[in-house]
Amino acid sequence: MQKTSNVRVIIGLLALAILCGAVWFALQGPAPSASTAHKVDAEQLEPLESRLTESGQIRPQMLAADAPVDYNFHVKPILSNNCFACHGFDPNTRESGLRLDTRDGATTSYAPEGETPKIAVVPGSPEQSEIWKRIIHHNEELRMPPVESNKPRLNEEEKSIIKRWITQGAEYKTHWSFIPPEKPEAPEVKNVDWPRTEIDNHVLAKLESFGADPSPQANRETLIRRVSLDLTGLPPTPDEIDDFLKDESLDAYEKVVDRLLASPHYGERIALDWMDVSRYGDTNAHHVDLERTSWPWRDWVIQAFNDNKPYDEFIVEQLAGDLLENPTRDQILATSFNRNHPITNEGGAISEEYLAEYAHDRVHTVSTAFLGMTMACARCHDHKYDPFTIDEYYSFFSFFNSIDEKGLESQNAKDAEGYRPYIFLAANKQDQQSLIDIKASLSDLDNVIAEVNWEEEHERLVKAEELDWKHLSPAYKHAFWNGEKVEGPNYKYLKVITTPEQIEERKKEKGLLEFDISLKDAAEGSNLVMIHFYGLQIDQVGPSRDLKTVKGKSMVSDLSLHVVKGPEKKPQIIRSVAVAEHWTSDSLLGNSNSAANALDQDSSTLWEQEPSDRALVVLLRLEEALPTPEEGHLRLAFHLEKGSLLPVQNSMVHVYVSKGRIGLAELADRVSPFSLTTIAPDRVRNRHKEQFALEWAVAKESNSSELFADWAQTRDQYYLLEQGAVRVAVMQEKPEPTPTFVLDRGAYDSPLKDRPVGRIVPAALGEMDAGYPQNRLGFAYWLIEDNNPLTARVTVNRYWQVIFGNGLVRTSEDLGFQGELPSHPELLDYLAVDFVESGWDVKGLLRKMVTSSTYRQQSVRRPEFDLVDPENRFLSWFPRQRLPAEFIRDNALAASGLLYPKVGGPSVKPYQPDGLWREKTMRANSNTGTFARGSGLDLYRRGMYTFWKQVAPPPQMEAFDAPSREVCITKRNTTNTPMQALVLLNDETYLEASRAMASRVLNEVPGAWDDALNDRLVRSYRYLTGRHPTENGLKTLRNLTLESYDVFSADAEKAKGFLSYGASPLDESADTIELATLAYTASAIMNLDKTITRD
Amino acid sequence: MDPIEEYCRNITRREFFSKMAVGAGAMAFGDLLMRDGLAAAENPLQYGQMGAPHIAPKAKRVIYLFQNGGPSQLDMFDYKPGLKDKFDLDLPDSIRQGQRVTGMTSGQARFPVAPSVFDFKKYPNNQDGLWVSELYPHTASMAHELCVMYGMHTDAINHVPGITFLQTGHQQPGRPAMGSWMSYGLGSANDNLPSYVVMISQGYGNMQAISSNLWSSGFLPSEHQGINFRGAGDPVLYLSDPKGMNRTDRRRMLDAIVDMNQEEYHKTNDDEIMARIAQYEMAYRMQVSVPELTNLDDEDDETLALYGPNVKEAGSYAYNCLMARRMAERGVRFIQLYNRGWDQHGNLPNEIRMQCEASDQPQAGLLKDLKRRGMLDDTLVVWGGEFGRGVYSQGKLTKENYGRDHHPKCFTMWMAGGGVKPGITYGQTDEYSYNILDGGIHVHDLHATMFHLLGINHEKLTYRYQGRDFRLTDVHGKIVKDILA
């Protein structure tokens, strides 16, 4: 019995293939009359199974015996699938020197010089053609394709196609999608009343060609729900439905469409599809899986669709907005598209390896998203099917590998360097402008730094001063706060404080902060002369963005140094160490410096420090050199009167040890304090290095702190603005392109130095205008050229898929040799050309689709076409389609009135089961280690704003086939699993929505329980499904409700239990039993196929 | 029989079969009915996409004990007594051969040899014995069942690509997991549970991230993705009915849903609706079968004792090992355990001791339990991490303490049961356990061999995506015939 249904599909596919072929002929070549094709009787096409490929695809080869064969539609699918892997484009795997993918290769001798010539294809003569001889060879060993290829043998039909093709002259053609589309005439149809748009002519002509007709128009309830969900992802409200039902004007439907296209939710709906394509996520996907801030880019996408930004601009800005002349903030932001890929921060990762992976990802994404081509095969060798060489692959790659980025990102989310290049986006336009201006003036100063070779300077200075700096280990792996250990690994003396609450707590405390330094590692006989302490931060403004709430001065009453000895917890002070002189970063900054107040042994005088983004640096020159090693530890103690002094991530104590000869007087004379602020570059993060470098450079040049003070002020302003801003990774080209070579077998560490590549586009797809910039921008311009054969086709095909469930080419990710053939090639070309002519008008394109008669058909499957078109590729009815994961949730929230319809903004964290993040993350370092549920309205945002942690995506989205978003995907699966049932039945989201729905109808339909029940049920049903229930449906719902009313009445605790889900307040005014009963029924309606299906 | 099921079967059976499309849901339903004995036994759907096994299968299921982080072969299995004399000597260049090391040790001035601090003992197997360190006495006691492979090697040197490679055959995310391929190829072998289940246990050391892309179905239909059974909360997400609802209440609601969905089906002829009805029934059954699965009341004390003291602690490795056996009994085809915490860059002797203590008895208990129930013959048990660890010390080396960095060039895995030769060792590494001398098994080879044991020709189980016929082993993979029973 199972076989029957397979047969149905097979026959249908065959018929489809024939029809495709027939239509193609009409367009391309020697045109058979349409009737030739349609006279083929599907029933005569036995045997059937043999025509399916292994993967279930049909080879579109069935033809009437006398019909001419078409290379693209009949022959190439056979050759590509069976022959090209060994006799195709890639010379490295070409067997026997035979090439079959070009006519030249096939028709000239491939026998080695001096041997009898062998010609694979002798046009007109199969008997003389080697290919034919080998296909039908009686010897199993010699027959093609060979056994070891795991390909099934060619069947009779395939053989006959090959034979006829050779007989008919063995014509080769360019692959269909590489031929630039031309606008076809609208085909004539018999039923002239049916078409509303040119789309309909194409669809109807095809239907009529096999004697089919379209379905009747869907009823208005269905239509408005369909189009609302398709254009906004949200259901229509009962009022909107009623308005439409009442509207008798001729353009009532068009008015609805225009209203929806103007809705801000339109942009959200269309952007959803782009989130999958552009592998959008809120974390970095690898290792520690840190949060990344990409949502401003998502906002950009939504806005672009809402503004109906021409799609060619949409492409250019995302690929190369940064390279446009005087790019705007938004144009730069757009390029975040190509920074959405996974980024690693795994400690041992090798940077070069990942830089290559990021570029590979961009090649994959760009080629799939815009060209509908799969380039990935050519990463390791020439493509087996499509005409792309490995050299061309790396040429493509070279457009995308010259970004000033890091391969290995920091594990510290606060470390800005990791996301380089990035932009800060301020909260408003004015701040944004200031941010830009200030950054520009800072960059002048930054140039000063760039000129200093600073490791060398440091080296020189230290040498000249006969100083030796030495980092002495901490005595323990912790510091002490009021005698309590504060744990932390080396160099991180203190527990990192991350929450505002912890900061507040710390602020209140007056206390003693102690650091112990072990002296035992200092060289024998050396003298400790100077202590360089780096690591406390007064307030946090700027890069440590999570700690931005502490304000106000910090006050240190005493800063003391002792040598201590004894047990860890209560060591004895052996003696105190006097300080002769001090410098602090405050004094360097030209700020008032009251540090002396901390060193004066008087705890009533205070060293006050202003909040600053910089870590506090303290240099203490000792009164007397301390001989080392000495028993015990050196203890540095800060007495805090008001403790907004916070530890920074990499607190450090450096101890400078003289080699024994230098006297203190000399030291004071010869050592510039600035030189001492330099610390070994590998020990500090770049930002701090830069800071110290600047301090030093400025001091050296001018010997005045004035300039530096300016800089410091500017810098502070910048950080203050930045604090209210977010950081988004974007593209930024390096000044010089990275030299690129073919990578042997795709390995990052095996560049073939004798095969450098330049920036050129694959030859099979045309060439880039020499006048274009030779970079991503030029590439983007090439993509949107009128004669680019692919970009517009790929785009309209994907939007067709959004609206009709499948693309005209179903493999929307692949329009290459191995992709499926279009069901309506001429319609695809019409839409592509028309789209370009319209100025890449996406709204216009979608409007054409949804106002067509094709779209307005009812969605009832028509068994009478099972044999010829079982998968409804010719659209004799409108395809029912389960909603995408996000819209299933949106529908429930919108229907129940819970939805908070705010557009854009940061991602939110609605309900999910506990522990899902923790069990998968490296929690020590990750800022997405533990899931903290959002609150308030954040729980009721649209599904597309749910925080997308890539290591553990939202489970209710995963259950409904949302992709994991690590790689570019152009089409989701639609499966049907028990997990989906469990989500809809038991997830808190849906239980809360059921309760809200019950409250809503109780309030909206007042009245006594019995009297109002039917109306309430109808209303619930209408909210969730957009329809009135059928008579039987209403009866079922009513019975269910009455039964459960008895159950809940018998046990009020059950009712309370059922109503206990969700954070929204319980409707206290309602009767608990009635509320629970209606909620229970609402839950049932939420689980109906009708509710989660757009029909 | 459940009344609603009966209803479905009697009233709509004909429709199910005559209207069934090749949609995923419909397929699953066909599968389901078939195993109920309602459909002809030769129904090809029994074997998923493959129709029938390519070769006679030896193993019906896999229990994969993945040791996440990279266990040190030097301290557990790959016995190198000669290293004792080489303490703190530099690793010779002739051995290192310029091989790349990770960013964590590439800056190290020296690569001093760190011999294992652990004592090794020889345990009888079916050859001349198996050396195992004091860390793994229970596992060692099963030496006569183990096939220990010293020559495993991989291409990845870091965790994320390493784990991804072992689990999906590719270093970058996006490809289907091994279990998904198996589910896709072989279909499901039970009515009430998923065919591919994942369980995670937390370890004692440095825990590496574990991503759900490791059990993702990639481009295969998502019904083949692994279902994560959890130690806390519902074993399967969203399994429990809400408060205030018992089975009768649920059944009543489902009956109404079925009724209305049926009506919709009759209006639209859409096969997916019938598939959805079937999936709701499966969910309903899972709500019973999963609690039954996780309820250990029917395990006797003797059995529980096999798995060690933590066996009742949900989510522990011991609990997950026992759960693996229970799933194996119930027809789950691919049972994937992740045991986190093997990433011992420093302080290895201490950390590995805890890690081993927690894993030794449970996994040995699992083997014993399978054996005595006669299930080991057709259950393939696989043990191993994403790579091994290097012989030189990462960080400071003392007689008692050292750390070890990642080492992809050789590491040890073992398999047991399911058609593998029992009680043997295979392959050999050099005196530093740094390079493979013979019997190398690449990750692709392991995959090819595992598939072979399951009756799958790894070259034939393919899926067309983006124009290419993808397979687990890409274009590689050799079956290691020497270890087949």
Side-chain angles (χ1 to χ4, degrees), chain A residues 83-100:
Chain A
C83 316
F84 288 174
C86 300
H87 301 294
F89 187 68
D90 181 359
N92 296 309
T93 55
R94 202 174 290 150
E95 300 289 332
S96 314
L98 170 60
R99 179 169 189 183
L100 286 174

mmCIF file of all heavy atoms in Angstrom, chain A residues 83-100:
data_model
loop_
_atom_site.group_PDB
_atom_site.id
_atom_site.type_symbol
_atom_site.label_atom_id
_atom_site.label_comp_id
_atom_site.label_asym_id
_atom_site.label_seq_id
_atom_site.Cartn_x
_atom_site.Cartn_y
_atom_site.Cartn_z
ATOM 1 N N CYS A 83 28.430 11.249 -14.453
ATOM 2 C CA CYS A 83 29.709 11.260 -15.162
ATOM 3 C C CYS A 83 30.678 12.345 -14.709
ATOM 4 O O CYS A 83 31.889 12.148 -14.718
ATOM 5 C CB CYS A 83 29.485 11.447 -16.666
ATOM 6 S SG CYS A 83 28.145 10.464 -17.339
ATOM 7 N N PHE A 84 30.141 13.522 -14.336
ATOM 8 C CA PHE A 84 31.030 14.671 -14.178
ATOM 9 C C PHE A 84 32.024 14.525 -13.025
ATOM 10 O O PHE A 84 33.082 15.122 -13.035
ATOM 11 C CB PHE A 84 30.229 15.966 -14.005
ATOM 12 C CG PHE A 84 29.554 16.441 -15.272
ATOM 13 C CD1 PHE A 84 28.693 17.537 -15.256
ATOM 14 C CD2 PHE A 84 29.782 15.793 -16.486
ATOM 15 C CE1 PHE A 84 28.073 17.982 -16.417
ATOM 16 C CE2 PHE A 84 29.151 16.231 -17.651
ATOM 17 C CZ PHE A 84 28.297 17.323 -17.608
ATOM 18 N N ALA A 85 31.664 13.754 -12.014
ATOM 19 C CA ALA A 85 32.587 13.633 -10.883
ATOM 20 C C ALA A 85 33.943 13.120 -11.361
ATOM 21 O O ALA A 85 34.978 13.502 -10.819
ATOM 22 C CB ALA A 85 32.008 12.725 -9.805
ATOM 23 N N CYS A 86 33.956 12.269 -12.367
ATOM 24 C CA CYS A 86 35.238 11.716 -12.865
ATOM 25 C C CYS A 86 35.597 12.239 -14.256
ATOM 26 O O CYS A 86 36.739 12.092 -14.691
ATOM 27 C CB CYS A 86 35.167 10.196 -12.930
ATOM 28 S SG CYS A 86 34.860 9.440 -11.339
ATOM 29 N N HIS A 87 34.640 12.762 -14.958
ATOM 30 C CA HIS A 87 34.934 13.253 -16.307
ATOM 31 C C HIS A 87 34.401 14.666 -16.470
ATOM 32 O O HIS A 87 33.739 14.999 -17.441
ATOM 33 C CB HIS A 87 34.280 12.348 -17.356
ATOM 34 C CG HIS A 87 34.736 10.931 -17.283
ATOM 35 N ND1 HIS A 87 36.034 10.550 -17.574
ATOM 36 C CD2 HIS A 87 34.084 9.793 -16.930
ATOM 37 C CE1 HIS A 87 36.156 9.235 -17.421
ATOM 38 N NE2 HIS A 87 34.990 8.757 -17.015
ATOM 39 N N GLY A 88 34.662 15.478 -15.470
ATOM 40 C CA GLY A 88 34.076 16.807 -15.524
ATOM 41 C C GLY A 88 35.092 17.908 -15.403
ATOM 42 O O GLY A 88 36.211 17.824 -15.907
ATOM 43 N N PHE A 89 34.688 18.877 -14.643
ATOM 44 C CA PHE A 89 35.392 20.147 -14.577
ATOM 45 C C PHE A 89 36.754 20.045 -13.888
ATOM 46 O O PHE A 89 37.691 20.750 -14.212
ATOM 47 C CB PHE A 89 34.489 21.124 -13.826
ATOM 48 C CG PHE A 89 34.998 22.509 -13.829
ATOM 49 C CD1 PHE A 89 35.024 23.235 -15.008
ATOM 50 C CD2 PHE A 89 35.473 23.087 -12.669
ATOM 51 C CE1 PHE A 89 35.508 24.525 -15.019
ATOM 52 C CE2 PHE A 89 35.959 24.372 -12.676
ATOM 53 C CZ PHE A 89 35.984 25.096 -13.854
ATOM 54 N N ASP A 90 36.861 19.176 -12.895
ATOM 55 C CA ASP A 90 38.080 19.099 -12.088
ATOM 56 C C ASP A 90 39.132 18.216 -12.756
ATOM 57 O O ASP A 90 38.978 17.006 -12.840
ATOM 58 C CB ASP A 90 37.723 18.530 -10.709
ATOM 59 C CG ASP A 90 38.933 18.450 -9.790
ATOM 60 O OD1 ASP A 90 40.042 18.817 -10.245
ATOM 61 O OD2 ASP A 90 38.757 18.031 -8.637
ATOM 62 N N PRO A 91 40.231 18.803 -13.265
ATOM 63 C CA PRO A 91 41.232 18.012 -13.979
ATOM 64 C C PRO A 91 41.968 17.030 -13.070
ATOM 65 O O PRO A 91 42.498 16.030 -13.531
ATOM 66 C CB PRO A 91 42.201 19.062 -14.528
ATOM 67 C CG PRO A 91 42.009 20.270 -13.687
ATOM 68 C CD PRO A 91 40.602 20.213 -13.170
ATOM 69 N N ASN A 92 41.964 17.300 -11.774
ATOM 70 C CA ASN A 92 42.735 16.448 -10.877
ATOM 71 C C ASN A 92 42.106 15.079 -10.687
ATOM 72 O O ASN A 92 42.770 14.136 -10.298
ATOM 73 C CB ASN A 92 42.879 17.118 -9.511
ATOM 74 C CG ASN A 92 43.664 18.400 -9.635
ATOM 75 O OD1 ASN A 92 44.742 18.414 -10.204
ATOM 76 N ND2 ASN A 92 43.084 19.487 -9.133
ATOM 77 N N THR A 93 40.815 15.011 -10.884
ATOM 78 C CA THR A 93 40.176 13.710 -10.712
ATOM 79 C C THR A 93 39.639 13.213 -12.041
ATOM 80 O O THR A 93 38.797 12.324 -12.088
ATOM 81 C CB THR A 93 39.006 13.805 -9.712
ATOM 82 O OG1 THR A 93 38.121 14.822 -10.161
ATOM 83 C CG2 THR A 93 39.504 14.144 -8.321
ATOM 84 N N ARG A 94 40.123 13.794 -13.105
ATOM 85 C CA ARG A 94 39.585 13.404 -14.413
ATOM 86 C C ARG A 94 40.204 12.075 -14.835
ATOM 87 O O ARG A 94 41.410 11.929 -14.933
ATOM 88 C CB ARG A 94 39.879 14.507 -15.430
ATOM 89 C CG ARG A 94 38.955 14.468 -16.624
ATOM 90 C CD ARG A 94 39.183 15.657 -17.530
ATOM 91 N NE ARG A 94 38.742 16.920 -16.945
ATOM 92 C CZ ARG A 94 39.309 18.098 -17.212
ATOM 93 N NH1 ARG A 94 40.330 18.162 -18.064
ATOM 94 N NH2 ARG A 94 38.867 19.191 -16.647
ATOM 95 N N GLU A 95 39.343 11.107 -15.061
ATOM 96 C CA GLU A 95 39.810 9.770 -15.422
ATOM 97 C C GLU A 95 40.056 9.695 -16.925
ATOM 98 O O GLU A 95 39.290 10.235 -17.715
ATOM 99 C CB GLU A 95 38.768 8.716 -15.032
ATOM 100 C CG GLU A 95 38.437 8.679 -13.547
ATOM 101 C CD GLU A 95 39.568 8.120 -12.686
ATOM 102 O OE1 GLU A 95 40.356 7.303 -13.209
ATOM 103 O OE2 GLU A 95 39.676 8.520 -11.506
ATOM 104 N N SER A 96 41.102 8.992 -17.276
ATOM 105 C CA SER A 96 41.436 8.714 -18.680
ATOM 106 C C SER A 96 41.542 9.972 -19.537
ATOM 107 O O SER A 96 41.480 9.904 -20.750
ATOM 108 C CB SER A 96 40.395 7.788 -19.331
ATOM 109 O OG SER A 96 40.119 6.713 -18.480
ATOM 110 N N GLY A 97 41.673 11.108 -18.910
ATOM 111 C CA GLY A 97 41.799 12.349 -19.668
ATOM 112 C C GLY A 97 40.515 12.763 -20.376
ATOM 113 O O GLY A 97 40.514 13.673 -21.206
ATOM 114 N N LEU A 98 39.427 12.101 -20.031
ATOM 115 C CA LEU A 98 38.177 12.417 -20.733
ATOM 116 C C LEU A 98 37.359 13.452 -19.986
ATOM 117 O O LEU A 98 37.110 13.345 -18.799
ATOM 118 C CB LEU A 98 37.334 11.139 -20.896
ATOM 119 C CG LEU A 98 35.896 11.366 -21.404
ATOM 120 C CD1 LEU A 98 35.883 12.039 -22.767
ATOM 121 C CD2 LEU A 98 35.131 10.054 -21.444
ATOM 122 N N ARG A 99 36.930 14.456 -20.742
ATOM 123 C CA ARG A 99 36.111 15.503 -20.175
ATOM 124 C C ARG A 99 34.778 15.556 -20.911
ATOM 125 O O ARG A 99 34.738 15.742 -22.126
ATOM 126 C CB ARG A 99 36.866 16.828 -20.336
ATOM 127 C CG ARG A 99 36.103 17.992 -19.814
ATOM 128 C CD ARG A 99 36.943 19.239 -19.738
ATOM 129 N NE ARG A 99 36.149 20.231 -19.010
ATOM 130 C CZ ARG A 99 36.522 21.473 -18.789
ATOM 131 N NH1 ARG A 99 37.694 21.899 -19.215
ATOM 132 N NH2 ARG A 99 35.731 22.292 -18.133
ATOM 133 N N LEU A 100 33.683 15.417 -20.150
ATOM 134 C CA LEU A 100 32.376 15.360 -20.799
ATOM 135 C C LEU A 100 31.520 16.597 -20.589
ATOM 136 O O LEU A 100 30.431 16.696 -21.123
ATOM 137 C CB LEU A 100 31.594 14.139 -20.279
ATOM 138 C CG LEU A 100 32.051 12.776 -20.800
ATOM 139 C CD1 LEU A 100 31.297 11.667 -20.081
ATOM 140 C CD2 LEU A 100 31.838 12.679 -22.299
#
